[in-house]
Amino acid sequence: MINDFSPVLTAIGPKLSQNSKNAASALVVGVCSTDDGPVLLPNPLPDAGARALADSLEALGVTGAADEVVRIPGLDPLPFPLLVLTGVGRITGEPGAGVSTEALRRASGAAVRRLSGTPSVALGLPAETPELLGAVAEGAALAAYSFTAFRSADARAKGKNPVERAAVVTSLKPKVTGPVLQRAAVVARAVRATRDLVNTPPSHLFPASFAEEVTEAVRTLPIKVTVWDEKKLEKDGFGGILNVGKGSTRPPRLVKLEYTPAAAGRNAPHIAFVGKGITFDSGGLSLKPPTSMTTMKSDMAGAATVASVVAAAAELELPVKVTGWLCMAENMPSATAQRPSDVITMYGGKTVEVMNTDAEGRLVMADGLVAATDETPDAVIDIATLTGAQMIALGNRTTGVMGTEDLRTELVAAADASGETAWPMPIPEDQRASLDSTVADLSNVGDRFGGMMTAAAFLREFVDAGRASEAARAEPTPWAHLDIAGPSFNDSGAYGYTPKDATGVMVRTLVAYLERRAERPRGK
């Protein structure tokens, strides 16, 4: 179900003329909100037209607030029938100087999203540095998205297609704009692919089909794919993934993606990702209330994110080895489902007493963490829609980051640089005590209060828990856990470059982390 649509991103010079070959259906310019009212950002409009427009902003009802998009007729002599004013929010200081890259990314995205049905757009937002250019282009590419795979042909024909071409106005030279736009296109494509997978209904996306979709998506990239079916999972002892999937007629899968750059060398770092891939979560025998199941097709967002990040690393030819582990199962109630109080043996040998079958994500992730750390990577990062407690603690737009302090700090910094919101959280030692079991090594549930951190404490038990990693590693593997339960799925209105439903959150952050990590040799 992965959509091949990708908007074309280009750069055009600031000298726009009536006979411009780069004429588009609309020209977008930015407006900021200040103490003195709305102010136009630097733009490619003719001086006289820009002054007249600036004097008319309040009369037009324009405030410059974030996500505000106002359309007016184009200004002569420029060849754009439509002029679009997009708000970047409140700033202090000189217009343009105080605008963040994320504010421009969001303003560009808001305009492009609202211009669906318009074939081409020129973006006259500040883009005079590679960072600003990248933000404007990325916002446009992220916003040019719609998921129509399950609409009828008639409905698709009547709908508005995303913007097909976005040209960013900049004075930067082609040797600078080329790599920046190429990166923006790759990252946005990875985000859109994640959204497509998450938006696909569980009737069509289940462990086997999920594995097939991912395999097909990376077919042309230098990525090795290994798939464990239910027989191989049982043979190799992946008890967490197997037991979560026992209640479904559609058996579980484990998918391993390996990208090794051609010229990496021994000093190239190796980063492993583990993603939760519960294609539908009914809660199992610990059944969820019906209204809590309506968005549970999104419970595989972590695995979708990992698949997209590995693909992006390969497309960008990053000089870092990247391994992705996608832990896939469907959590359903039936006569064969695991029961509360069952004891299961995880990959690596630890035993877990299952006290709540709706705490299933941590079981499949535990298997993946043991397998990932058995290969002694330089760091392992897991990403999962793991707990409702994440939303209680941090809301619907902020990712919780837990784990080894240095790695946690690096990920939060990468999120900040990417325009995503992440917050470092602790794993208090007393949270682990609540996971004690009287019959097994540990229980899969503990304290309800601080549940996000309790789940992280459970996962930490499986970092370096395999026999291979115990023998090969002198120091613990740096590990981080990203809980994206809230931010992965937007069940309210669209905003900025973010659509309703699947968001693709943390793809940009993890790509940025890999880029930064590739800059330093292994062991540093």
Side-chain angles (χ1 to χ4, degrees), residues 332-357:
M332 298 291 285
S334 75
T336 59
Q338 66 177 347
R339 298 159 291 253
S341 78
D342 277 359
V343 173
I344 62 177
T345 302
M346 315 296 287
Y347 186 68
K350 284 195 175 185
T351 59
V352 174
E353 184 180 17
V354 179
M355 297 306 292
N356 185 336
T357 65

Side-chain angles (χ1 to χ4, degrees), residues 182-183 185-191 194 217-218 220-223 257-264 269-273 304-324 506-518:
Q182 194 257 347
R183 180 192 184 276
V186 169
V187 171
R189 186 158 53 247
V191 172
T194 304
V218 304
T220 61
L221 297 172
I223 294 174
L257 304 176
E258 298 173 84
Y259 161 66
T260 303
H270 175 198
I271 307 301
F273 295 107
T305 301
V306 170
S308 297
V309 169
V310 177
E315 281 199 72
L316 294 171
E317 299 180 346
L318 298 183
V320 54
K321 180 178 179 179
V322 186
T323 305
M506 288 290 113
V507 169
R508 287 150 48 204
T509 291
L510 294 179
V511 171
Y513 166 77
L514 289 176
E515 290 171 327
R516 293 175 172 210
R517 189 63 185 81

Side-chain angles (χ1 to χ4, degrees), residues 3 11 34 51 54 76 82 94 159 186 211 234 243 264 272 317 320-321 338 356 385 418 429 460 493:
N3 192 339
T34 73
R51 286 194 298 271
D76 289 334
L82 186 65
E94 290 295 319
V186 169
E234 183 172 11
N243 277 277
E317 299 180 346
V320 54
K321 180 178 179 179
Q338 66 177 347
N356 185 336
T385 50
S418 304
E429 287 306 315
R460 185 175 59 185

Side-chain angles (χ1 to χ4, degrees), residues 477-515:
T477 303
W479 160 73
H481 163 57
L482 279 62
D483 195 333
I484 57 169
S488 66
F489 202 82
N490 173 30
D491 55 9
S492 56
Y495 59 92
Y497 49 76
T498 303
K500 193 177 185 304
D501 296 341
T503 66
V505 72
M506 288 290 113
V507 169
R508 287 150 48 204
T509 291
L510 294 179
V511 171
Y513 166 77
L514 289 176
E515 290 171 327

